[in-house]
Amino acid sequence: MINQSIGMGEQGRNERDKFESELDRIIKASDATGVILRVIGSLAFQVHCPKFGYLQEAMGRAYTDIDFAAYRSQAKEVKSLMASLGYSENREVFIVSEGERSIFDRTSAGLHVDVFYDKLDFCHTILWEGRLEIDRPSIPLSEMLLEKMQIVQINEKDIIDTIMLLLEHPFGDTDDEVINIKRISILCASDWGLWRTTSMNLDKVRQLAQGYGQLKDEQKKHVSIQVESALARMEKEPKSLAWKLRSRVGDRVKWYKDVDEVE
Amino acid sequence: MTRTVRDLMHPGVLACKPSATLGQVAVLLSQHHVHALIVTDNKGQHLGIITDYDLLAGEWLAVDAESLAAMQKLTAADLMTFPMDSVDAATTVRKAAHILNARDINRLVVTENGHPIGMISVSDFVAGIASKEKPARATVADVMSDSILVCRVNTPLISAARTMTQAGWRSVLVVDAKGKALGVVSGKDLMPFVEKGIDLALTVREVMDPALTIDMTASLREAADKMIQNHHHRLIVTDKEDPEAFPLGIISSYDIVAEMANPSSVWQK
């Protein structure tokens, strides 16, 4: 599974600072104009994991772009905001994606911004509706975990981000600095495919964490405990009839959408 | 005298082999006009139960040629529910209704000394409600049917139950004065009243499910998807060009299974 994909490799402090300060600049501008933009991807994990964020650099996790979640109803405002910050839009992406995604570039600074409207729609669909007001400057912790766990062909960069998150935040039933496992369990209990991929990837995180020399033994153990508690909570959630019917078919029919590598 | 499950059940059980394909199960359900089969091995052991609702998975998940091929290989053993939800024939109707309601299921296998002797489903309980009514026969209004397959929101619930039983339907469509679909009353909606008794003043308005519609041009897969995701057994078929108009019909899980049983269906190849 481990590979040298996009998002992995050595990255100097100056380059990391460039992304982090640009994120800060965009968030300040969006706050000032009332546009709801919430960071997702590697920078979200860095921002939300002040204690264990150092692991990204230590484990060779690099920033490649800045990703945001936003509401489609504010797409016009997002475009104006990004233009005011010196970005030019690749309009074809918005048209081809039928308004689900915008890409902005600031070529002179080597910066690339991706905005996902209303949902993240890769192997599984994670909806933003009513969730972008919960946390800032990132999406809620539960969506951050799902963002990674919904990727069937999960990469090392996603494993590293997830390990950081599990070390930094406990599970709970709210969105207040805990990973809302109640919400994750409810979503997985209504969609067998999402449950299948999420439980499979949590287990992968547990296994792969044991092989990282950058992690201390107690940290590896903590990741295992966190994964076990999440899986137990997901198991406990009552499942829908559709879930039960789909589970009987199991892996014999593909349960996810094929996508290109996400980053 | 307290009625028991034996009084309302359908005697006899129909079985299929665990190796029966979904297409073969569809044919059996359709030929015998039943909604469930007991899956039985060569030694006569009852392994589980498979229903028309389970067969919806075929249409639901056959989104492309690859998935269809995988689903065509599935057997009754793959999709059956086990262990079977069962009830002894001597159990009171009220207690059996409680089991159905509490487990949110549609039927129970009826046993005697541990051996299946019949099946009791939501429709049988609805027939039980309907048979309690003792209509006066003084006027035309007293004997007319308030609902055949369609009724208005103020139709008494007891009347809807009677009509469903007489017509052999498992649901009644509820419409407004202009014919627009407002909801559906199914046998499942009436189940709580088997347990606690029915208030004769109740109308279909109080128990109907909101109308879940589907366009007439939608595929069977889309219909199956909508039924499964919403845990409904039937959908109101409308014309998207005129969605407010009187519905074109109702499609049920059984209709989809009947199509799966059609010799020209992909499930028979």
Side-chain angles (χ1 to χ4, degrees), chain A residues 190 241-242 245-246 248-249 252-253, chain B residues 53-54 70 78-81 228 231:
Chain A
S190 65
L241 196 68
L245 185 54
R246 183 63 188 82
R248 282 183 240 150
V249 177
R252 285 171 284 204
V253 170
Chain B
Y53 198 76
D54 298 327
D78 294 324
L79 279 191
M80 69 182 184
T81 300
I228 287 172
H231 194 171

mmCIF file of all heavy atoms in Angstrom, chain A residues 190 241-242 245-246 248-249 252-253, chain B residues 53-54 70 78-81 228 231:
data_model
loop_
_atom_site.group_PDB
_atom_site.id
_atom_site.type_symbol
_atom_site.label_atom_id
_atom_site.label_comp_id
_atom_site.label_asym_id
_atom_site.label_seq_id
_atom_site.Cartn_x
_atom_site.Cartn_y
_atom_site.Cartn_z
ATOM 1 N N SER A 190 -26.320 3.700 7.638
ATOM 2 C CA SER A 190 -27.334 3.820 6.585
ATOM 3 C C SER A 190 -26.730 3.517 5.213
ATOM 4 O O SER A 190 -27.447 3.465 4.221
ATOM 5 C CB SER A 190 -27.961 5.215 6.592
ATOM 6 O OG SER A 190 -26.987 6.171 6.270
ATOM 7 N N LEU A 241 -32.509 -1.202 7.006
ATOM 8 C CA LEU A 241 -32.856 -2.409 6.249
ATOM 9 C C LEU A 241 -32.010 -2.496 4.967
ATOM 10 O O LEU A 241 -31.553 -3.571 4.577
ATOM 11 C CB LEU A 241 -34.346 -2.375 5.899
ATOM 12 C CG LEU A 241 -34.937 -3.689 5.452
ATOM 13 C CD1 LEU A 241 -34.974 -4.671 6.612
ATOM 14 C CD2 LEU A 241 -36.348 -3.481 4.914
ATOM 15 N N ALA A 242 -31.822 -1.343 4.325
ATOM 16 C CA ALA A 242 -31.004 -1.311 3.104
ATOM 17 C C ALA A 242 -29.584 -1.777 3.407
ATOM 18 O O ALA A 242 -28.974 -2.511 2.638
ATOM 19 C CB ALA A 242 -30.984 0.100 2.530
ATOM 20 N N LEU A 245 -29.587 -5.584 3.826
ATOM 21 C CA LEU A 245 -29.742 -6.261 2.536
ATOM 22 C C LEU A 245 -28.440 -6.178 1.737
ATOM 23 O O LEU A 245 -27.967 -7.162 1.166
ATOM 24 C CB LEU A 245 -30.899 -5.606 1.766
ATOM 25 C CG LEU A 245 -31.327 -6.222 0.445
ATOM 26 C CD1 LEU A 245 -31.644 -7.705 0.606
ATOM 27 C CD2 LEU A 245 -32.554 -5.495 -0.114
ATOM 28 N N ARG A 246 -27.840 -4.971 1.747
ATOM 29 C CA ARG A 246 -26.587 -4.789 0.995
ATOM 30 C C ARG A 246 -25.454 -5.634 1.585
ATOM 31 O O ARG A 246 -24.597 -6.147 0.858
ATOM 32 C CB ARG A 246 -26.213 -3.296 1.004
ATOM 33 C CG ARG A 246 -24.952 -2.951 0.199
ATOM 34 C CD ARG A 246 -25.131 -3.262 -1.257
ATOM 35 N NE ARG A 246 -23.897 -3.115 -2.030
ATOM 36 C CZ ARG A 246 -22.951 -4.035 -2.114
ATOM 37 N NH1 ARG A 246 -23.079 -5.189 -1.465
ATOM 38 N NH2 ARG A 246 -21.877 -3.838 -2.860
ATOM 39 N N ARG A 248 -25.650 -8.520 2.846
ATOM 40 C CA ARG A 248 -25.757 -9.929 2.441
ATOM 41 C C ARG A 248 -25.105 -10.154 1.077
ATOM 42 O O ARG A 248 -24.619 -11.234 0.791
ATOM 43 C CB ARG A 248 -27.220 -10.359 2.420
ATOM 44 C CG ARG A 248 -27.757 -10.638 3.809
ATOM 45 C CD ARG A 248 -29.186 -11.125 3.744
ATOM 46 N NE ARG A 248 -30.064 -10.231 4.475
ATOM 47 C CZ ARG A 248 -31.337 -10.020 4.187
ATOM 48 N NH1 ARG A 248 -31.897 -10.635 3.166
ATOM 49 N NH2 ARG A 248 -32.064 -9.197 4.905
ATOM 50 N N VAL A 249 -25.110 -9.131 0.247
ATOM 51 C CA VAL A 249 -24.460 -9.248 -1.068
ATOM 52 C C VAL A 249 -22.947 -9.101 -0.900
ATOM 53 O O VAL A 249 -22.156 -9.777 -1.556
ATOM 54 C CB VAL A 249 -25.012 -8.181 -2.043
ATOM 55 C CG1 VAL A 249 -24.297 -8.248 -3.384
ATOM 56 C CG2 VAL A 249 -26.516 -8.368 -2.222
ATOM 57 N N ARG A 252 -19.271 -9.037 -3.324
ATOM 58 C CA ARG A 252 -19.474 -9.625 -4.653
ATOM 59 C C ARG A 252 -19.858 -8.566 -5.679
ATOM 60 O O ARG A 252 -19.657 -8.743 -6.874
ATOM 61 C CB ARG A 252 -20.524 -10.731 -4.596
ATOM 62 C CG ARG A 252 -19.971 -11.990 -3.959
ATOM 63 C CD ARG A 252 -21.050 -12.999 -3.691
ATOM 64 N NE ARG A 252 -21.825 -12.627 -2.528
ATOM 65 C CZ ARG A 252 -22.513 -13.488 -1.786
ATOM 66 N NH1 ARG A 252 -22.520 -14.760 -2.100
ATOM 67 N NH2 ARG A 252 -23.193 -13.089 -0.736
ATOM 68 N N VAL A 253 -20.422 -7.467 -5.197
ATOM 69 C CA VAL A 253 -20.723 -6.340 -6.090
ATOM 70 C C VAL A 253 -19.941 -5.134 -5.566
ATOM 71 O O VAL A 253 -19.907 -4.902 -4.352
ATOM 72 C CB VAL A 253 -22.237 -6.046 -6.115
ATOM 73 C CG1 VAL A 253 -22.520 -4.741 -6.836
ATOM 74 C CG2 VAL A 253 -22.978 -7.191 -6.803
ATOM 75 N N TYR B 53 -38.942 -8.495 -1.194
ATOM 76 C CA TYR B 53 -38.135 -7.311 -0.863
ATOM 77 C C TYR B 53 -36.640 -7.622 -1.000
ATOM 78 O O TYR B 53 -35.874 -6.798 -1.490
ATOM 79 C CB TYR B 53 -38.460 -6.859 0.559
ATOM 80 C CG TYR B 53 -38.023 -5.446 0.856
ATOM 81 C CD1 TYR B 53 -38.742 -4.352 0.364
ATOM 82 C CD2 TYR B 53 -36.890 -5.193 1.613
ATOM 83 C CE1 TYR B 53 -38.353 -3.062 0.633
ATOM 84 C CE2 TYR B 53 -36.492 -3.896 1.888
ATOM 85 C CZ TYR B 53 -37.216 -2.834 1.405
ATOM 86 O OH TYR B 53 -36.821 -1.547 1.668
ATOM 87 N N ASP B 54 -36.245 -8.823 -0.576
ATOM 88 C CA ASP B 54 -34.835 -9.219 -0.715
ATOM 89 C C ASP B 54 -34.435 -9.246 -2.182
ATOM 90 O O ASP B 54 -33.313 -8.897 -2.554
ATOM 91 C CB ASP B 54 -34.599 -10.612 -0.107
ATOM 92 C CG ASP B 54 -34.898 -10.660 1.383
ATOM 93 O OD1 ASP B 54 -34.682 -9.642 2.057
ATOM 94 O OD2 ASP B 54 -35.357 -11.713 1.855
ATOM 95 N N ALA B 70 -22.676 -10.414 -11.438
ATOM 96 C CA ALA B 70 -22.445 -10.859 -10.058
ATOM 97 C C ALA B 70 -23.777 -11.177 -9.373
ATOM 98 O O ALA B 70 -23.903 -12.189 -8.667
ATOM 99 C CB ALA B 70 -21.698 -9.790 -9.273
ATOM 100 N N ASP B 78 -27.673 -16.811 -0.385
ATOM 101 C CA ASP B 78 -26.903 -15.576 -0.212
ATOM 102 C C ASP B 78 -27.758 -14.435 0.340
ATOM 103 O O ASP B 78 -27.274 -13.596 1.086
ATOM 104 C CB ASP B 78 -26.308 -15.121 -1.560
ATOM 105 C CG ASP B 78 -25.272 -16.096 -2.078
ATOM 106 O OD1 ASP B 78 -24.531 -16.652 -1.255
ATOM 107 O OD2 ASP B 78 -25.219 -16.295 -3.306
ATOM 108 N N LEU B 79 -29.001 -14.379 -0.076
ATOM 109 C CA LEU B 79 -29.835 -13.226 0.274
ATOM 110 C C LEU B 79 -30.869 -13.511 1.362
ATOM 111 O O LEU B 79 -31.527 -12.590 1.833
ATOM 112 C CB LEU B 79 -30.567 -12.710 -0.972
ATOM 113 C CG LEU B 79 -29.786 -11.797 -1.913
ATOM 114 C CD1 LEU B 79 -30.726 -11.176 -2.924
ATOM 115 C CD2 LEU B 79 -29.077 -10.687 -1.161
ATOM 116 N N MET B 80 -31.008 -14.753 1.754
ATOM 117 C CA MET B 80 -32.065 -15.080 2.726
ATOM 118 C C MET B 80 -31.758 -14.468 4.098
ATOM 119 O O MET B 80 -30.615 -14.169 4.430
ATOM 120 C CB MET B 80 -32.189 -16.596 2.882
ATOM 121 C CG MET B 80 -31.008 -17.223 3.572
ATOM 122 S SD MET B 80 -31.180 -19.018 3.668
ATOM 123 C CE MET B 80 -29.718 -19.432 4.613
ATOM 124 N N THR B 81 -32.808 -14.300 4.882
ATOM 125 C CA THR B 81 -32.659 -13.845 6.263
ATOM 126 C C THR B 81 -32.680 -15.072 7.165
ATOM 127 O O THR B 81 -33.539 -15.939 7.008
ATOM 128 C CB THR B 81 -33.839 -12.924 6.648
ATOM 129 O OG1 THR B 81 -33.830 -11.802 5.771
ATOM 130 C CG2 THR B 81 -33.711 -12.436 8.082
ATOM 131 N N ILE B 228 -35.746 0.636 -1.445
ATOM 132 C CA ILE B 228 -34.810 0.139 -0.433
ATOM 133 C C ILE B 228 -34.297 1.286 0.433
ATOM 134 O O ILE B 228 -34.266 1.184 1.663
ATOM 135 C CB ILE B 228 -33.656 -0.627 -1.110
ATOM 136 C CG1 ILE B 228 -34.181 -1.972 -1.622
ATOM 137 C CG2 ILE B 228 -32.498 -0.845 -0.159
ATOM 138 C CD1 ILE B 228 -33.231 -2.748 -2.478
ATOM 139 N N HIS B 231 -37.102 2.339 2.635
ATOM 140 C CA HIS B 231 -37.751 1.244 3.357
ATOM 141 C C HIS B 231 -39.256 1.232 3.040
ATOM 142 O O HIS B 231 -40.090 1.150 3.936
ATOM 143 C CB HIS B 231 -37.498 1.407 4.867
ATOM 144 C CG HIS B 231 -37.842 0.169 5.649
ATOM 145 N ND1 HIS B 231 -37.528 0.021 6.967
ATOM 146 C CD2 HIS B 231 -38.471 -0.967 5.291
ATOM 147 C CE1 HIS B 231 -37.953 -1.136 7.406
ATOM 148 N NE2 HIS B 231 -38.525 -1.756 6.396
#
